[in-house]
């Protein structure tokens, strides 16, 4: 080891040896913790005096501590002595009566060997010397003053038994005895040590961190230097800024503890097993040591740089101690730690961590501790630990009823993380409910999970059974009523009469803020909340979007706590919102995220919602192969019995249509309509399957059938349903006389733009532009087609955009950049600009707005300047279309 910050001690030893050379011997006791360089100092000193002395050495050892004369015999091997005399001393060593003769014999041999040269005797780890050797060394120490003999004894601080303590006390009373202490290195000393192994610049950069991790312990600092050399940092470019704490450091920590003895190792293990600083009483119980001894060991480990404020200085040090323990001993310590903390009133979570680490639960009080800790962990987002607690609590259940309850709680926790994980429990829970072993609030989550996974017959059977039984509290009774409602909403064929048919008032009860979510609860506190979100937000996204401001923050908060089911639901709802806004890339990306957060199996029957969004967005962007790939995985058997299945069926139909499979598409749309009729749910607010079927029939050239379906759809709607109404008018225009089409398509454009449906707006504008072209109005055709292209570009609807500009190699470049929106325009400028954007001449704009042509020209000049365009053909798509009737009048309708 490199000698750092040991110059003072070396100087004192040299001064003492100078007196020894003059015939006045002496004794030096070097004290220090393990690995402070005592041995290195002894041998460096021996090298310094070199040929001026005769140096002999010995070392104490735990293995030879009970071997009489073991240390002194090592000394005798290094001096001139008659072999027979040495052997006689060894034989007498085991006889207590022979001690006086042994002492005089050893002293005669020693001082005889100092006759020609000063004799330097060095003993390492003298605290481990055998009893007879200690007596001999003490005998020599009393006599060296008048002889050229120097004793250097290395002693580990806070080490050695009672006999050594007595001998050391006697030695310290000798007039020529000096005690030299070797402290830990300072931060500057650590830097100097590192500089011997590393580049000086690196050593300086990491010295402060190394000192913080090692407390100046030379052994640990040396290990950090080796870790740094073995790491990627050694070959990285740039300024070194951090330590590499690795395997060498971990090994050094464990090695140090073994060097310090079993008691120190036991206390260190007790410290490592505890996640937080523990009391001396707890550590004493875990290490089977006296409280006073534990306090001494803690002080030693603090001084040695292993501990800081009662904990390991670095996580790797703690882990190294834990990894060194045999698994059975580690589990045993965790169990004892749990018991000790519980008996002292420790935090339940701390107790539970040890129970989980122990891997078993034996005492009755442990189940309650585990369940309480699981609730706390789930609330704080520690879902893995919560599941570990509940799994252990379930295994430790002592009877069938308790086992059913803990299984229900475990299944609910696993379901939040990944619904597929909880499926393994549903059979057991269903039996427990039907046999009456699981009752009250614990039945709510299993029934919701049955509904989610399409096991509708089991859910219905349980709800029928519970309907005739009294419930323990009003909340459970309310939840069961809600589950019956959800059963009939999710599986409409099971409705009991007209009263159960969902309508606007009933739909409001499925809001997240509905009565089944108790005041002050987080969203994921309710076992019904996931199905609530699914039925409210994923069955009819347009309806849900209108109220999203009131519940979307709650959904985002639940997703932020890390549960997979909430992350998946949050992504799926956002995907639908993006699709409604015409943001196809975002819709596809979020839907794919939803299907990644939860596998299709985990989504259960709700998988139809994110899958429908992904199919629709992918098809509209022209990613047909990607969309088709999602049709191959098997779907839940019960999917098409649910509203989520209808969304999937409709999206699949549109994909078939995009892939030029009109008959397959028509089959899907007609199946959708038949299903709605069977459910007695073919209402104006239901899925507009007639529009989809009519669109397909038009593709097949069956205009009469298409017109009949469109008339039925329009007769069922009012103009406030902008999305459906706009689509209906658009397809209706395709069945009308060419002279009627501009008016119908203009109304469709207004309805869709008011509804904010950019994707359908792009299709309607494309149809309107094509109609203008067919009637010879090339100016309006060009402007409208350009607007359609702009909107398609914004949505990234590639097939539509490419269809508008089939001859352009790059349709996005052909459209040119969009120059911005009308936010800087006055109301008058906006009204003029929106009519000019439709291609109306200035005179007609003046008549419609009851202003002069000159005023129109002035407004347009300012509009062009503010928007940075040169003509009306460059006006952006973000200008809004005016009141109903204006465009129709302008287009000759």
């Amino acid at each position: 080891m490199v000698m750092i910050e040991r110059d003072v001690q070396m100087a004192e030893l040299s001064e003492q040896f100078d007196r020894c050379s003059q015939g006045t011997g002496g004794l030096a006791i070097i004290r220090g913790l393990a690995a402070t360089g005592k041995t290195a100092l002894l041998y460096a000193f021996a090298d310094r005096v070199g040929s001026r002395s005769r140096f002999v050495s010995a070392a104490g050892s735990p293995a030879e501590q009970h071997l009489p004369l073991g240390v002194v015999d090592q000394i005798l091997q290094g001096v001139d002595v008659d072999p027979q005399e040495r052997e006689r001393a060894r034989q007498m060593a085991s006889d207590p009566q022979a001690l006086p003769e042994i002492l005089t014999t050893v002293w005669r041999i020693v001082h005889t060997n100092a006759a020609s040269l000063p004799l330097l005797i060095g003993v390492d780890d003298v605290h481990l010397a055998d009893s007879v050797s200690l007596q001999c060394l003490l005998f020599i120490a009393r006599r060296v003053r008048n002889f050229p003999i120097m004793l250097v004894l290395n002693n580990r601080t806070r080490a050695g038994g009672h006999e050594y303590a007595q001998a050391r006390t006697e030695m310290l009373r000798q007039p020529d005895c000096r005690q030299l202490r070797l402290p830990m290195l300072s931060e500057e000393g650590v830097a100097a040590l590192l500089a011997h192994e590393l580049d000086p610049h690196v050593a300086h950069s990491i010295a402060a961190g190394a000192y913080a991790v090692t407390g100046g312990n030379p052994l640990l600092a040396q290990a950090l230097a080796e870790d740094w050399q073995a790491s990627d940092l050694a070959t990285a470019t740039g300024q070194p800024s951090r330590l590499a704490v690795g395997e060498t450091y971990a090994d050094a920590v464990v090695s140090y503890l073994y060097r310090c003895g079993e008691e120190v190792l036991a206390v260190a293990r007790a410290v490592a097993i505890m996640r937080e600083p523990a009391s001396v009483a707890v550590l004493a119980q875990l290490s089977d040591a006296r409280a006073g001894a534990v306090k001494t060991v803690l002080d030693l480990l603090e001084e040695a740089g292993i501990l800081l404020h009662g904990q390991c200085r670095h996580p790797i040090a703690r882990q190294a101690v834990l990894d060194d323990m045999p698994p059975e001993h580690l589990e045993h310590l965790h169990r004892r730690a749990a018991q000790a903390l519980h008996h002292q009133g420790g935090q339940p979570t701390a107790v539970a961590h040890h129970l989980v680490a122990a891997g078993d639960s034996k005492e009755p009080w442990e189940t309650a501790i585990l369940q309480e800790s699981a609730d706390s962990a789930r609330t704080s987002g520690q879902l893995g630990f919560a599941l570990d607690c509940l799994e252990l609590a379930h295994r430790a259940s002592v009877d069938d009823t308790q086992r059913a309850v803990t299984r229900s709680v475990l299944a609910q926790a696993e379901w939040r993380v990944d619904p597929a994980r909880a499926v393994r429990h549903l059979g057991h829970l269903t039996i427990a409910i039907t046999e009456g072993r699981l009752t009250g609030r614990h039945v709510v989550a299993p029934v919701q999970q049955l509904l989610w996974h399409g096991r509708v017959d089991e859910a219905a059977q349980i709800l029928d059974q519970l309907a005739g039984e009294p419930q323990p509290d009003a909340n459970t009774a309310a939840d069961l009523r809600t589950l019956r409602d959800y059963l009939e909403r999710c599986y409409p064929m099971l409705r009991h009469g007209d009263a159960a048919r969902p309508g606007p008032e009933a739909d409001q009860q499925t809001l997240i803020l509905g009565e089944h979510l108790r005041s002050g609860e987080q969203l994921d506190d309710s076992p019904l909340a996931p199905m609530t979100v699914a039925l409210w937000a994923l069955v009819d996204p347009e309806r849900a979007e209108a109220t999203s401001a009131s519940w979307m923050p709650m959904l985002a908060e639940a997703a932020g706590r890390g549960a997979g089911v909430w992350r998946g639901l949050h992504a799926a709802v956002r995907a639908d919102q993006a699709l409604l806004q015409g943001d196809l890339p975002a819709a596809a990306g979020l839907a794919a995220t939803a299907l990644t957060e939860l596998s299709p199996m985990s989504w259960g029957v709700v998988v139809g919602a994110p899958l429908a969004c992904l199919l629709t967005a992918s098809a509209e962007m022209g990613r047909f192969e990607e969309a088709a790939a999602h049709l191959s995985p098997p779907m839940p058997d019960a999917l098409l019995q649910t509203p989520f299945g209808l969304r999937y069926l409709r999206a699949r139909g549109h994909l078939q249509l995009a892939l030029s499979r009109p008959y397959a598409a028509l089959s899907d749309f007609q199946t959708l309509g038949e299903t709605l009729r069977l459910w007695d749910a073919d209402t104006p607010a239901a899925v507009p399957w007639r529009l989809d079927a009519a669109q397909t029939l038009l593709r097949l050239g069956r205009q009469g059938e298409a017109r009949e379906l469109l008339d039925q759809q329009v007769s069922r709607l009012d103009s406030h349903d902008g999305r459906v109404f706009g689509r209906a008018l658009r397809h209706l225009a395709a069945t009308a006389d060419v002279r009627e089409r501009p008016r119908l398509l203009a109304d469709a454009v207004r309805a869709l733009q008011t509804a904010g449906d950019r994707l359908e707006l792009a299709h309607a504008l494309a149809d309107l532009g094509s109609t203008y072209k067919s009637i010879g109005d090339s100016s309006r055709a060009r402007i409208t087609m350009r607007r359609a292209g702009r909107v398609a570009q914004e949505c990234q609807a590639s097939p539509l955009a490419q269809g508008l500009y089939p001859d352009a190699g790059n349709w996005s470049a052909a459209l040119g950049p969009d120059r911005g929106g009308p936010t800087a325009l006055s109301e008058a400028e906006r009204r003029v600009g929106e009519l000019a954007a439709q291609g109306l001449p200035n005179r007609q704009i003046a008549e419609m707005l009851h202003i002069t042509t000159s005023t129109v020209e002035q407004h347009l000049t300012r509009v062009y300047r503010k928007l940075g365009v040169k003509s009306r053909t460059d006006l952006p798509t973000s200008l809004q279309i005016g009141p109903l009737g204006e465009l129709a009048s302008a287009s000759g309708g």
Side-chain angles (χ1 to χ4, degrees), residues 56-93:
V56 293
S57 66
S61 166
E64 299 182 11
Q65 196 167 9
H66 301 291
L67 179 65
L69 206 65
V71 168
V72 168
D73 187 58
Q74 296 176 51
I75 296 173
L76 297 181
Q77 291 180 33
V79 297
D80 296 331
V81 59
D82 185 343
Q84 294 182 348
E85 188 174 21
R86 176 188 167 205
E87 181 60 29
R88 174 173 170 74
R90 292 175 61 184
Q91 292 176 354
M92 291 189 297

Side-chain angles (χ1 to χ4, degrees), residues 516-547:
H516 73 277
L517 287 179
R518 320 294 179 229
S519 175
E521 287 185 326
Q522 293 178 336
L523 187 60
D524 51 356
D525 285 336
S526 168
L528 296 179
M531 185 59 83
T532 302
V533 172
L535 287 170
W536 173 251
L538 297 181
V539 169
D540 189 347
E542 183 179 356
R543 174 195 60 187
E545 186 184 37
T547 60

Side-chain angles (χ1 to χ4, degrees), residues 634-856:
M635 295 293 116
D637 293 338
L639 176 62
L640 296 184
Q641 301 176 37
T642 70
F644 310 108
L646 297 193
R647 281 197 63 187
Y648 168 73
L649 194 62
R650 187 180 182 214
R652 188 178 72 180
H654 280 288
L655 176 60
Q656 302 281 24
L657 195 58
L659 294 172
S660 299
R661 301 170 185 167
Y663 289 103
L666 185 61
S667 175
D668 280 344
F669 297 141
Q670 289 174 336
T671 299
L672 198 159
E674 291 168 6
T675 302
L676 287 172
R677 284 193 292 269
L678 284 173
W679 292 353
D680 195 18
D682 191 10
T683 64
V687 180
W689 67 273
R690 290 175 179 81
L691 296 183
D692 306 320
Q695 181 181 359
T696 309
L697 289 168
L698 288 171
R699 182 78 64 88
L700 292 169
R702 294 154 62 176
Q703 288 197 349
E705 296 174 72
R707 179 68 185 235
E708 182 180 352
L709 289 175
L710 291 169
D711 287 341
Q712 291 175 18
Q713 185 71 61
V714 172
S715 67
R716 292 165 168 259
L717 293 172
D718 57 45
S719 59
H720 297 295
D721 193 349
R723 292 180 189 272
V724 178
F725 187 66
R727 281 195 65 213
L729 292 177
R730 176 193 160 212
H731 294 310
L732 199 59
T735 68
D737 183 84
V738 69
R739 291 168 297 181
E740 290 292 317
R741 291 178 189 172
R743 178 183 61 80
L744 291 170
L745 288 170
D747 287 346
V749 166
R750 281 194 300 278
L752 292 168
Q753 188 155 352
T754 300
D757 192 335
R758 293 194 300 161
L759 182 59
E760 281 298 327
L761 174 63
H763 284 289
L765 285 169
D767 289 352
L768 180 58
S770 179
T771 298
Y772 281 144
K773 185 176 181 180
S774 67
I775 62 176
D777 193 340
S778 58
S779 176
R780 289 185 185 174
R782 184 176 63 257
I783 294 172
T784 306
M785 295 289 273
R786 188 176 184 83
R787 289 198 67 220
R790 288 276 188 209
V791 180
Q793 180 187 20
E794 292 167 2
C795 297
Q796 293 197 29
S798 301
L800 175 59
Q802 289 169 350
L804 292 168
Y805 293 91
D807 297 328
N810 184 336
W811 57 268
S812 180
L815 289 168
D818 194 341
R819 293 179 173 81
T823 55
L825 303 181
S826 68
E827 180 63 21
E829 292 165 352
R830 186 191 65 79
R831 290 175 62 81
V832 170
E834 66 188 17
L835 294 173
Q838 308 309 310
L840 301 184
N842 292 353
R843 180 184 55 78
Q844 198 166 355
I845 294 174
E847 291 175 359
M848 292 178 65
L849 299 181
H850 307 290
I851 57 178
T852 66
T853 304
S854 175
T855 301
V856 171

Side-chain angles (χ1 to χ4, degrees), residues 72-232:
V72 168
D73 187 58
Q74 296 176 51
I75 296 173
L76 297 181
Q77 291 180 33
V79 297
D80 296 331
V81 59
D82 185 343
Q84 294 182 348
E85 188 174 21
R86 176 188 167 205
E87 181 60 29
R88 174 173 170 74
R90 292 175 61 184
Q91 292 176 354
M92 291 189 297
S94 57
D95 181 6
Q97 302 299 323
L99 181 61
E101 185 178 352
I102 293 173
L103 295 177
T104 55
T105 298
V106 169
W107 168 244
R108 184 176 62 256
I109 294 171
V110 167
H111 81 73
T112 300
N113 275 269
S116 58
L117 271 178
L119 181 62
L120 175 61
I121 301 175
V123 181
D124 211 12
D125 288 336
V126 69
H127 56 281
L128 296 176
D130 60 278
S131 176
V132 176
S133 293
L134 281 176
Q135 293 298 322
C136 290
L137 292 173
L138 182 58
F139 192 86
I140 294 171
R142 294 192 191 103
R143 288 160 175 77
V144 295
R145 185 174 187 183
N146 297 317
F147 295 88
I149 301 171
M150 182 174 176
L151 280 176
V152 180
L153 308 179
N154 284 350
N155 161 220
R156 185 186 303 162
T157 304
R158 298 193 179 101
H162 177 70
E163 187 173 7
Y164 171 71
Q166 286 184 318
R168 183 170 63 84
T169 301
E170 179 70 19
M171 290 177 184
L172 290 173
R173 284 203 292 262
Q174 301 307 308
D176 293 304
C177 178
R178 288 195 179 185
Q179 183 169 229
L180 310 180
R181 181 176 176 273
L182 298 189
M184 291 294 170
L185 301 179
S186 66
E187 183 176 330
E188 292 75 15
V190 170
L193 187 152
L194 294 174
H196 278 272
E197 304 292 337
L198 306 175
D199 178 89
H201 179 63
V202 172
H204 176 76
S205 298
I206 66 174
Y211 181 74
V213 170
T214 65
N217 186 312
L219 176 68
L220 302 185
Q222 178 71 31
L224 288 182
E226 294 179 27
D227 276 334
W228 201 93
Q229 289 175 320
S231 72
D232 294 338

